[in-house]
Amino acid sequence: MTELLLLALLPLLMALLGLVRPLVRRLPTIAAALMAAQIPLCLWVCWSALSGSGSASAGAQGWGLDELGAAFVVLTTVVSAAAVVHAALVWKQQPTTRTGPDELLPGLFYTLTGAFIIAMYAV
């Protein structure tokens, strides 16, 4: 169970940073870096299940992860990371003179994306 919490740490951080209003302009870059770091972390956590070895040094066996489940977790992580990096490129091209509710859209996007990733891991 500890490995599942470790896997949820970076998406949780991204979700929480999405709620911090002063970070809205820098959040796309921060979130892209967090999700890029999430890929090797995910591979490390899932490696024992992906390799088929019985050793659980990375600990995926602690929460009952088999090969199919590990592949799903890795696929979810890679697709989510690609979406967040793509979103960072799109948000940087948007006008920076957002006011009112539009100013909070990037933060809301990253908060909901982090929550989605955590929910997918829990499934």
mmCIF file of all heavy atoms in Angstrom, residues 92-117:
data_model
loop_
_atom_site.group_PDB
_atom_site.id
_atom_site.type_symbol
_atom_site.label_atom_id
_atom_site.label_comp_id
_atom_site.label_asym_id
_atom_site.label_seq_id
_atom_site.Cartn_x
_atom_site.Cartn_y
_atom_site.Cartn_z
ATOM 1 N N LYS A 92 0.932 27.980 -22.715
ATOM 2 C CA LYS A 92 1.947 29.019 -22.931
ATOM 3 C C LYS A 92 1.632 29.873 -24.162
ATOM 4 O O LYS A 92 2.083 30.999 -24.259
ATOM 5 C CB LYS A 92 3.328 28.386 -23.068
ATOM 6 C CG LYS A 92 3.861 27.915 -21.756
ATOM 7 C CD LYS A 92 5.267 27.415 -21.889
ATOM 8 C CE LYS A 92 5.749 27.006 -20.516
ATOM 9 N NZ LYS A 92 7.181 26.869 -20.443
ATOM 10 N N GLN A 93 0.875 29.341 -25.097
ATOM 11 C CA GLN A 93 0.519 30.102 -26.289
ATOM 12 C C GLN A 93 -0.724 30.954 -26.085
ATOM 13 O O GLN A 93 -1.035 31.784 -26.931
ATOM 14 C CB GLN A 93 0.306 29.151 -27.469
ATOM 15 C CG GLN A 93 1.571 28.466 -27.906
ATOM 16 C CD GLN A 93 1.331 27.490 -29.030
ATOM 17 O OE1 GLN A 93 0.207 27.282 -29.464
ATOM 18 N NE2 GLN A 93 2.393 26.876 -29.502
ATOM 19 N N GLN A 94 -1.422 30.746 -24.989
ATOM 20 C CA GLN A 94 -2.628 31.527 -24.704
ATOM 21 C C GLN A 94 -2.236 32.921 -24.235
ATOM 22 O O GLN A 94 -1.164 33.125 -23.682
ATOM 23 C CB GLN A 94 -3.459 30.839 -23.612
ATOM 24 C CG GLN A 94 -3.969 29.484 -23.998
ATOM 25 C CD GLN A 94 -4.983 29.557 -25.121
ATOM 26 O OE1 GLN A 94 -5.813 30.438 -25.170
ATOM 27 N NE2 GLN A 94 -4.881 28.611 -26.044
ATOM 28 N N PRO A 95 -3.102 33.897 -24.435
ATOM 29 C CA PRO A 95 -2.807 35.245 -23.941
ATOM 30 C C PRO A 95 -2.653 35.236 -22.417
ATOM 31 O O PRO A 95 -3.359 34.530 -21.712
ATOM 32 C CB PRO A 95 -4.038 36.063 -24.349
ATOM 33 C CG PRO A 95 -4.855 35.206 -25.237
ATOM 34 C CD PRO A 95 -4.378 33.807 -25.123
ATOM 35 N N THR A 96 -1.720 36.035 -21.938
ATOM 36 C CA THR A 96 -1.461 36.076 -20.496
ATOM 37 C C THR A 96 -2.300 37.125 -19.792
ATOM 38 O O THR A 96 -2.109 37.358 -18.604
ATOM 39 C CB THR A 96 0.025 36.364 -20.236
ATOM 40 O OG1 THR A 96 0.372 37.591 -20.859
ATOM 41 C CG2 THR A 96 0.891 35.241 -20.745
ATOM 42 N N THR A 97 -3.221 37.737 -20.480
ATOM 43 C CA THR A 97 -4.036 38.793 -19.874
ATOM 44 C C THR A 97 -5.409 38.261 -19.472
ATOM 45 O O THR A 97 -6.414 38.924 -19.673
ATOM 46 C CB THR A 97 -4.198 39.970 -20.849
ATOM 47 O OG1 THR A 97 -4.781 39.464 -22.061
ATOM 48 C CG2 THR A 97 -2.870 40.636 -21.141
ATOM 49 N N ARG A 98 -5.432 37.054 -18.930
ATOM 50 C CA ARG A 98 -6.703 36.500 -18.464
ATOM 51 C C ARG A 98 -7.125 37.223 -17.188
ATOM 52 O O ARG A 98 -6.313 37.508 -16.329
ATOM 53 C CB ARG A 98 -6.567 35.009 -18.165
ATOM 54 C CG ARG A 98 -6.367 34.162 -19.360
ATOM 55 C CD ARG A 98 -6.386 32.696 -18.930
ATOM 56 N NE ARG A 98 -5.665 31.919 -19.898
ATOM 57 C CZ ARG A 98 -4.411 31.540 -19.761
ATOM 58 N NH1 ARG A 98 -3.748 31.836 -18.681
ATOM 59 N NH2 ARG A 98 -3.823 30.841 -20.691
ATOM 60 N N THR A 99 -8.416 37.452 -17.072
ATOM 61 C CA THR A 99 -8.941 38.063 -15.861
ATOM 62 C C THR A 99 -10.187 37.305 -15.447
ATOM 63 O O THR A 99 -10.815 36.612 -16.246
ATOM 64 C CB THR A 99 -9.297 39.544 -16.088
ATOM 65 O OG1 THR A 99 -10.235 39.629 -17.147
ATOM 66 C CG2 THR A 99 -8.055 40.362 -16.403
ATOM 67 N N GLY A 100 -10.533 37.444 -14.207
ATOM 68 C CA GLY A 100 -11.747 36.805 -13.703
ATOM 69 C C GLY A 100 -11.615 35.299 -13.673
ATOM 70 O O GLY A 100 -10.552 34.764 -13.398
ATOM 71 N N PRO A 101 -12.716 34.604 -13.979
ATOM 72 C CA PRO A 101 -12.713 33.142 -13.910
ATOM 73 C C PRO A 101 -11.743 32.492 -14.898
ATOM 74 O O PRO A 101 -11.214 31.432 -14.637
ATOM 75 C CB PRO A 101 -14.148 32.754 -14.246
ATOM 76 C CG PRO A 101 -14.960 33.975 -14.053
ATOM 77 C CD PRO A 101 -14.043 35.134 -14.257
ATOM 78 N N ASP A 102 -11.495 33.115 -16.041
ATOM 79 C CA ASP A 102 -10.581 32.541 -17.033
ATOM 80 C C ASP A 102 -9.158 32.413 -16.500
ATOM 81 O O ASP A 102 -8.395 31.566 -16.948
ATOM 82 C CB ASP A 102 -10.560 33.376 -18.309
ATOM 83 C CG ASP A 102 -11.831 33.213 -19.112
ATOM 84 O OD1 ASP A 102 -12.592 32.274 -18.817
ATOM 85 O OD2 ASP A 102 -12.066 34.022 -20.019
ATOM 86 N N GLU A 103 -8.806 33.269 -15.550
ATOM 87 C CA GLU A 103 -7.467 33.231 -14.976
ATOM 88 C C GLU A 103 -7.226 31.931 -14.210
ATOM 89 O O GLU A 103 -6.093 31.460 -14.107
ATOM 90 C CB GLU A 103 -7.287 34.433 -14.049
ATOM 91 C CG GLU A 103 -5.931 34.517 -13.410
ATOM 92 C CD GLU A 103 -5.833 35.680 -12.449
ATOM 93 O OE1 GLU A 103 -6.873 36.209 -12.009
ATOM 94 O OE2 GLU A 103 -4.705 36.066 -12.151
ATOM 95 N N LEU A 104 -8.276 31.332 -13.710
ATOM 96 C CA LEU A 104 -8.153 30.137 -12.887
ATOM 97 C C LEU A 104 -8.244 28.833 -13.679
ATOM 98 O O LEU A 104 -8.090 27.761 -13.116
ATOM 99 C CB LEU A 104 -9.230 30.148 -11.797
ATOM 100 C CG LEU A 104 -9.209 31.361 -10.880
ATOM 101 C CD1 LEU A 104 -10.362 31.294 -9.901
ATOM 102 C CD2 LEU A 104 -7.895 31.469 -10.158
ATOM 103 N N LEU A 105 -8.510 28.905 -14.978
ATOM 104 C CA LEU A 105 -8.674 27.688 -15.780
ATOM 105 C C LEU A 105 -7.464 26.765 -15.774
ATOM 106 O O LEU A 105 -7.627 25.557 -15.612
ATOM 107 C CB LEU A 105 -9.073 28.045 -17.210
ATOM 108 C CG LEU A 105 -10.518 28.496 -17.390
ATOM 109 C CD1 LEU A 105 -10.770 28.874 -18.840
ATOM 110 C CD2 LEU A 105 -11.482 27.429 -16.943
ATOM 111 N N PRO A 106 -6.242 27.264 -15.928
ATOM 112 C CA PRO A 106 -5.110 26.337 -15.878
ATOM 113 C C PRO A 106 -4.999 25.624 -14.533
ATOM 114 O O PRO A 106 -4.741 24.423 -14.480
ATOM 115 C CB PRO A 106 -3.894 27.227 -16.130
ATOM 116 C CG PRO A 106 -4.427 28.400 -16.857
ATOM 117 C CD PRO A 106 -5.818 28.607 -16.322
ATOM 118 N N GLY A 107 -5.205 26.349 -13.454
ATOM 119 C CA GLY A 107 -5.143 25.724 -12.130
ATOM 120 C C GLY A 107 -6.210 24.658 -11.959
ATOM 121 O O GLY A 107 -5.949 23.575 -11.431
ATOM 122 N N LEU A 108 -7.403 24.937 -12.417
ATOM 123 C CA LEU A 108 -8.488 23.964 -12.343
ATOM 124 C C LEU A 108 -8.168 22.726 -13.180
ATOM 125 O O LEU A 108 -8.396 21.594 -12.753
ATOM 126 C CB LEU A 108 -9.798 24.605 -12.810
ATOM 127 C CG LEU A 108 -11.033 23.717 -12.797
ATOM 128 C CD1 LEU A 108 -11.360 23.271 -11.374
ATOM 129 C CD2 LEU A 108 -12.207 24.448 -13.413
ATOM 130 N N PHE A 109 -7.614 22.950 -14.371
ATOM 131 C CA PHE A 109 -7.250 21.829 -15.237
ATOM 132 C C PHE A 109 -6.250 20.911 -14.547
ATOM 133 O O PHE A 109 -6.415 19.684 -14.535
ATOM 134 C CB PHE A 109 -6.660 22.344 -16.560
ATOM 135 C CG PHE A 109 -6.055 21.263 -17.399
ATOM 136 C CD1 PHE A 109 -6.863 20.407 -18.124
ATOM 137 C CD2 PHE A 109 -4.684 21.085 -17.443
ATOM 138 C CE1 PHE A 109 -6.302 19.394 -18.890
ATOM 139 C CE2 PHE A 109 -4.119 20.086 -18.205
ATOM 140 C CZ PHE A 109 -4.930 19.238 -18.930
ATOM 141 N N TYR A 110 -5.202 21.477 -13.960
ATOM 142 C CA TYR A 110 -4.173 20.651 -13.336
ATOM 143 C C TYR A 110 -4.663 19.998 -12.050
ATOM 144 O O TYR A 110 -4.257 18.882 -11.724
ATOM 145 C CB TYR A 110 -2.899 21.461 -13.110
ATOM 146 C CG TYR A 110 -2.217 21.779 -14.417
ATOM 147 C CD1 TYR A 110 -2.163 23.072 -14.901
ATOM 148 C CD2 TYR A 110 -1.666 20.765 -15.188
ATOM 149 C CE1 TYR A 110 -1.557 23.354 -16.113
ATOM 150 C CE2 TYR A 110 -1.060 21.035 -16.397
ATOM 151 C CZ TYR A 110 -1.008 22.330 -16.856
ATOM 152 O OH TYR A 110 -0.418 22.601 -18.058
ATOM 153 N N THR A 111 -5.539 20.661 -11.329
ATOM 154 C CA THR A 111 -6.119 20.045 -10.135
ATOM 155 C C THR A 111 -6.974 18.842 -10.512
ATOM 156 O O THR A 111 -6.855 17.761 -9.917
ATOM 157 C CB THR A 111 -6.965 21.076 -9.353
ATOM 158 O OG1 THR A 111 -6.103 22.127 -8.913
ATOM 159 C CG2 THR A 111 -7.637 20.443 -8.157
ATOM 160 N N LEU A 112 -7.815 18.994 -11.504
ATOM 161 C CA LEU A 112 -8.675 17.884 -11.924
ATOM 162 C C LEU A 112 -7.874 16.768 -12.596
ATOM 163 O O LEU A 112 -8.194 15.587 -12.437
ATOM 164 C CB LEU A 112 -9.776 18.395 -12.851
ATOM 165 C CG LEU A 112 -10.782 19.340 -12.194
ATOM 166 C CD1 LEU A 112 -11.775 19.861 -13.217
ATOM 167 C CD2 LEU A 112 -11.493 18.661 -11.039
ATOM 168 N N THR A 113 -6.832 17.119 -13.318
ATOM 169 C CA THR A 113 -5.979 16.101 -13.934
ATOM 170 C C THR A 113 -5.262 15.283 -12.869
ATOM 171 O O THR A 113 -5.192 14.049 -12.968
ATOM 172 C CB THR A 113 -4.954 16.754 -14.886
ATOM 173 O OG1 THR A 113 -5.656 17.475 -15.891
ATOM 174 C CG2 THR A 113 -4.060 15.719 -15.521
ATOM 175 N N GLY A 114 -4.743 15.936 -11.844
ATOM 176 C CA GLY A 114 -4.107 15.211 -10.744
ATOM 177 C C GLY A 114 -5.079 14.289 -10.033
ATOM 178 O O GLY A 114 -4.756 13.138 -9.713
ATOM 179 N N ALA A 115 -6.294 14.768 -9.811
ATOM 180 C CA ALA A 115 -7.319 13.926 -9.173
ATOM 181 C C ALA A 115 -7.691 12.734 -10.058
ATOM 182 O O ALA A 115 -7.883 11.625 -9.562
ATOM 183 C CB ALA A 115 -8.561 14.773 -8.866
ATOM 184 N N PHE A 116 -7.751 12.957 -11.358
ATOM 185 C CA PHE A 116 -8.063 11.874 -12.297
ATOM 186 C C PHE A 116 -6.983 10.797 -12.269
ATOM 187 O O PHE A 116 -7.271 9.602 -12.233
ATOM 188 C CB PHE A 116 -8.215 12.429 -13.712
ATOM 189 C CG PHE A 116 -8.276 11.372 -14.769
ATOM 190 C CD1 PHE A 116 -9.443 10.655 -14.973
ATOM 191 C CD2 PHE A 116 -7.173 11.081 -15.551
ATOM 192 C CE1 PHE A 116 -9.511 9.663 -15.943
ATOM 193 C CE2 PHE A 116 -7.223 10.102 -16.525
ATOM 194 C CZ PHE A 116 -8.399 9.393 -16.721
ATOM 195 N N ILE A 117 -5.723 11.211 -12.275
ATOM 196 C CA ILE A 117 -4.616 10.259 -12.260
ATOM 197 C C ILE A 117 -4.645 9.428 -10.986
ATOM 198 O O ILE A 117 -4.488 8.203 -11.015
ATOM 199 C CB ILE A 117 -3.278 10.984 -12.435
ATOM 200 C CG1 ILE A 117 -3.211 11.637 -13.812
ATOM 201 C CG2 ILE A 117 -2.101 10.029 -12.229
ATOM 202 C CD1 ILE A 117 -2.082 12.620 -13.981
#
